[in-house]
Amino acid sequence: MNNDDAMQNYLANFAQEDEILRWIQTEAQRHDLPTISLQPLEGKLLHLLVRSSGAKKIVEIGALGGYSGTWLARALPADGHLWTLEKSAKHADVARAAFAKAGLSEKVTLVEGDALPSLQTLSAHAPFDFVFMDADPENYVNYFQWVRTHLRTGGILAAHNALAAGNIAAPNSDRSRGMAAFQDALLADTDFDSTIIAWGDGIVFAVKR
Ligand code: SAH
Ligand code: MG
């Protein structure tokens, strides 16, 4: 084991993943899902942000196999709820099984379909306390427009892949241009205070004033 591996293992201890989270990742592999879920420490960070902010109503865009959703939903109080949006029927099935395994079926609604129209149907449950964007950066600007009006004052917006695989400062694809456009819009919006956590592919973290 070289020093980097030792360091990675040391850091991973802080995530304190349990058997269920590991089972969820094994299931994702077994179903050949893309290996693009949050890293354990990122999941733990979102979990702590939800807990420490007392969020009760969360929207997640991009469920994949339910890994990040499990971290988020586990941080909710008994009367809290997570709505997680997923356009792939296959991913949605795997995620539903993950939430069932984690005992979270009552607390989580999987909204199957394209996120933009799904968000419109969720407006009825607004205002939300916490939104996590982790799908389809080309549309982050559009998701942000929805967030601006449906997140409560003091609510939190987190967005994954903020560094766009290292290309955020010099965007070179629809994906990285979409991410950059979102970050420009966020920084220009005086209703939001934000920072960027530059681990892994980065997480934008913002609070609505
Ligand atoms: N948050 C997950 C990873 C999400 S990966 C985790 O950390 O565990 C991105 C997911 O978003 C994929 O499952 C993909 O199918 C889904 N997705 C992509 N475009 C979408 C869209 N327009 N609407 C809804 N889901 C979308
Ligand atoms: Mg991501």
Side-chain angles (χ1 to χ4, degrees):
M1 189 186 290
N2 66 29
N3 281 339
D4 275 1
D5 288 341
M7 181 67 92
Q8 288 309 319
N9 284 342
Y10 179 86
L11 296 174
N13 286 334
F14 270 85
Q16 294 176 308
E17 265 190 322
D18 65 359
E19 268 171 40
I20 290 174
L21 285 162
R22 283 195 279 267
W23 181 90
I24 289 169
Q25 294 298 54
T26 307
E27 279 296 286
Q29 275 182 0
R30 193 170 73 80
H31 290 280
D32 281 323
L33 264 48
T35 52
I36 54 174
S37 76
L38 290 188
Q39 295 299 307
L41 280 178
E42 295 175 309
K44 183 68 175 284
L45 176 67
L46 292 187
H47 176 88
L48 292 176
L49 289 171
V50 170
R51 276 223 341 245
S52 58
S53 66
K56 283 191 177 183
K57 290 196 278 179
I58 307 177
V59 174
E60 172 179 65
I61 304 174
L64 190 64
Y67 180 77
S68 55
T70 297
W71 277 112
L72 291 167
R74 282 178 163 182
L76 286 166
D79 58 345
H81 203 82
L82 166 70
W83 288 264
T84 182
L85 280 44
E86 176 53 59
K87 81 170 178 194
S88 153
K90 177 183 169 183
H91 299 181
D93 283 344
V94 176
R96 273 192 213 92
F99 300 132
K101 176 81 174 183
L104 292 167
S105 299
E106 302 275 288
K107 267 192 179 164
V108 181
T109 302
L110 201 140
V111 185
E112 214 175 304
D114 186 28
L116 213 47
S118 295
L119 286 173
Q120 298 314 320
T121 69
L122 284 190
S123 298
H125 299 283
F128 294 93
D129 305 303
F130 195 107
V131 175
F132 176 49
M133 307 197 311
D134 192 16
D136 191 18
E138 288 89 329
N139 272 308
Y140 270 29
V141 163
N142 298 325
Y143 302 148
F144 179 55
Q145 289 312 313
W146 182 88
V147 168
R148 289 179 67 247
T149 47
H150 297 94
L151 188 69
R152 74 164 164 84
T153 300
I156 292 170
L157 169 62
H160 195 229
N161 305 105
L163 302 184
N167 297 311
I168 193 62
N172 57 357
S173 64
D174 289 347
R175 214 182 136 81
S176 53
R177 279 186 289 270
M179 184 60 77
F182 154 65
Q183 289 173 196
D184 288 348
L186 178 67
L187 287 172
D189 193 323
T190 54
D191 284 347
F192 284 83
D193 245 340
S194 53
T195 188
I196 191 160
I197 299 161
W199 326 322
D201 202 22
I203 300 176
V204 162
F205 175 74
V207 175
K208 188 174 171 184
R209 290 189 226 263

